[in-house]
Amino acid sequence: MTHWFHRNPLKATAPVSFNLYGVASSPAANKICNDLRTARARLLDMFTDATCTPEIMKKSSDEYFSLIQAFILPLDGTTQENKLRFIQNFKWTDTLQGNITSAQQDAVFELVSMAFNVAIWYSKFASRLAGKENITEDEAKDVHKSLKIAAGIFKTLKETHIPRLITPAEKGRDLEPRVIDTYIVQSQAEAQEVTIARAIELKHNASLIAALSFETANFYQKADHTLNTLDPECSSKWKKYLQLKQHFYMAYAHCYHGQTLLAGDKCGEAIRSLQEAEKFYSRAEALCKEYRQMKGPGSTAKPSEQLFFKKLGTFIKNTLEKCQRENSFIYFHKVPAEAPALELKASYGLAEPTPFELPPLSAQCTPEVYATFDLTKGPKEDKAKAKHDEEIKPVKEPDLKPQKDTGCVVS
């Protein structure tokens, strides 16, 4: 289902040479710097390589993270700050701020910024894979897995690594709580969409589908509310996407709850629940139109053009008509003025973030080699430094080519 998910752009970054001439006073120290430069460039290339797989991404990111930790972890047998942590400047853009850059002379800032981009890559990989024609069950599992990995990276960065920054993130930047919280919750919600699609395809119990849909709608509402105090110029489009998904899954919740009520011979309440589903679905359609007209960062999803979206409208209409026929022939129940409350709690299928752990420190980063980095000499002038002051260009991402929509319910 191409264009089902909204995706903000990848973060862009200035090149980093790691040319610590003078400071790196041994061949082994120089090798670490050279390997860092190479591993960083390779990982950045992977972000835009359409053939990159999760296995390749993990290998490339682990290689870089195992080396950059030589600038972060204490390697001299003490608990003091690593002497190399603040020696190199790093410059990154943010997913909502266009070409405006954030710069910190801090290896922890580099770690969290790069890992943030890895998480964004996993979410984009999931979106591309979900857009394939005739997606297989294994591919659907990969979509689900990738979204949970993304959520886990965001969550670990927020809880463990971002608090270590000396300079806190500015408002509206990727590393501030409102933005990263939204990414966490959105990734979980989208993973649950895969579960819902699977449950519908396998014709699971209507009460389970209703509960999962309700929980997912609540996730999207939570994500939307988290962005309420952010600058509308950079967040309005994203918020509109979260709102349309919330209304779409509330429509699902009321529709399947109506089926549960009908099965329990509560036809009047079933009709009212399905009428509520119609309202939420109509609002979701309107929000889709508003979303497409919004300007702001990110790719524009087109959910209302997907068969998965259209099928729900038809399903609500047909189920409501069935309930009304049953009521006029069998039940003669009064349709309540208020919609039945959705007091639903899913016992199965909820998506938890996959815990994220950094790889072990590279074997070449030993205390003996660390001792050969001599800060008293100071790094020599880097010839590439002038380039760092240039404007950072946005990342040129691979095109997401629309494919024929077969109506596969794996969203």
Side-chain angles (χ1 to χ4, degrees):
M1 290 182 22
T2 313
H3 301 308
W4 180 254
F5 297 122
H6 171 92
R7 288 293 176 261
N8 291 324
L10 284 161
K11 296 162 73 68
T13 182
V16 179
S17 67
F18 293 101
N19 287 336
L20 302 182
Y21 304 124
V23 172
S25 61
S26 71
N30 274 313
K31 185 177 187 305
I32 288 174
C33 294
N34 291 336
D35 287 353
L36 270 166
R37 180 173 62 251
T38 304
R40 189 180 198 265
R42 186 184 297 117
L43 178 53
L44 292 174
D45 285 343
M46 288 301 102
F47 291 142
T48 56
D49 186 341
T51 66
C52 182
T53 63
E55 292 76 23
I56 294 171
M57 176 54 64
K58 177 159 177 54
K59 183 176 183 297
S60 296
S61 58
D62 277 359
E63 182 182 0
Y64 182 61
F65 292 148
S66 71
L67 288 164
I68 195 65
Q69 289 181 90
F71 283 40
I72 298 171
L73 298 176
L75 296 177
D76 58 359
T78 72
T79 57
Q80 293 183 348
E81 199 72 72
N82 187 305
K83 64 186 178 184
L84 301 174
R85 176 175 170 180
F86 305 110
I87 198 170
Q88 178 72 59
N89 191 53
F90 301 95
K91 191 183 290 187
W92 286 86
T93 63
D94 292 89
T95 58
L96 300 179
Q97 302 291 339
N99 285 4
I100 301 171
T101 60
S102 298
Q104 290 193 34
Q105 195 152 322
D106 186 348
V108 173
F109 175 69
E110 165 71 358
L111 173 70
V112 295
S113 298
M114 189 67 83
F116 194 101
N117 239 20
V118 172
I120 292 288
W121 181 88
Y122 273 104
S123 74
K124 287 176 178 282
F125 173 79
S127 182
R128 285 200 305 275
L129 190 57
K132 283 187 63 177
E133 187 176 343
N134 297 322
I135 184 171
T136 66
E137 182 178 336
D138 285 343
E139 287 170 336
K141 288 178 181 177
D142 285 341
V143 173
H144 188 255
K145 180 180 178 181
S146 294
L147 290 166
K148 293 203 298 178
I149 289 172
I153 295 173
F154 289 131
K155 188 171 185 286
T156 302
L157 292 179
K158 179 199 170 188
E159 294 175 353
T160 306
H161 301 291
I162 292 174
R164 293 192 61 196
L165 289 172
I166 303 299
T167 306
E170 298 173 38
K171 291 181 179 179
R173 305 288 184 170
D174 289 335
L175 307 184
E176 73 118 305
R178 292 171 299 178
V179 176
I180 201 162
D181 276 342
T182 304
Y183 276 115
I184 295 168
V185 176
Q186 179 182 337
S187 298
Q188 286 182 268
E190 290 176 345
Q192 285 182 194
E193 288 193 59
V194 180
T195 305
I196 292 167
R198 178 73 173 159
I200 292 168
E201 189 173 27
L202 296 180
K203 295 181 169 54
H204 277 292
N205 192 293
S207 62
L208 173 62
I209 296 170
L212 279 171
S213 299
F214 183 56
E215 300 265 20
T216 303
N218 287 340
F219 265 138
Y220 278 118
Q221 184 179 53
K222 179 182 177 182
D224 172 41
H225 289 175
T226 303
L227 294 177
N228 276 347
T229 54
L230 219 60
D231 182 0
E233 188 176 337
C234 64
S235 65
S236 292
K237 183 177 180 180
W238 195 9
K239 279 176 62 65
K240 196 67 71 174
Y241 164 78
L242 299 170
Q243 289 165 12
L244 73 86
K245 281 294 187 77
Q246 181 219 340
H247 283 76
F248 180 69
Y249 282 100
M250 281 299 289
Y252 251 118
H254 279 287
C255 177
Y256 277 88
H257 188 52
Q259 283 196 316
T260 303
L261 290 168
L262 180 61
D265 294 326
K266 298 178 180 179
C267 197
E269 291 181 48
I271 290 171
R272 186 63 188 85
S273 191
L274 284 149
Q275 288 172 341
E276 197 70 6
E278 277 193 324
K279 287 182 184 178
F280 275 104
Y281 185 78
S282 295
R283 180 60 184 143
E285 286 185 309
L287 285 165
C288 284
K289 292 177 183 176
E290 293 173 24
Y291 167 75
R292 283 199 299 270
Q293 295 166 1
M294 300 283 302
K295 292 182 179 180
S299 61
T300 301
K302 300 173 184 176
S304 60
E305 296 179 10
Q306 312 298 328
L307 286 178
F308 187 64
F309 190 98
K310 294 175 181 177
K311 279 181 177 179
L312 176 59
T314 304
F315 186 55
I316 293 170
K317 179 176 178 291
N318 292 343
T319 309
L320 176 57
E321 288 175 354
K322 175 188 174 183
C323 287
Q324 289 169 333
R325 284 196 305 271
E326 297 287 314
N327 203 39
S328 62
F329 279 104
I330 303 171
Y331 294 103
F332 305 104
H333 289 171
K334 182 179 179 181
V335 178
E338 296 292 326
L342 293 177
E343 297 174 349
L344 307 173
K345 192 74 178 172
S347 302
Y348 310 98
L350 295 177
E352 288 296 325
T354 300
F356 170 67
E357 292 183 2
L358 289 171
L361 180 68
S362 172
Q364 62 182 300
C365 305
T366 64
E368 292 75 21
V369 176
Y370 177 75
T372 66
F373 284 94
D374 187 355
L375 265 61
T376 62
K377 296 181 180 179
K380 294 180 182 177
E381 187 67 25
D382 186 354
K383 293 178 182 178
K385 191 174 181 181
K387 294 183 180 179
H388 293 189
D389 295 328
E390 296 175 5
E391 183 182 36
I392 300 176
K393 295 179 181 178
V395 178
K396 185 171 176 55
E397 301 184 37
D399 291 331
L400 184 62
K401 295 178 182 178
Q403 299 190 38
K404 181 181 177 184
D405 187 1
T406 59
C408 174
V409 294
V410 177
S411 46

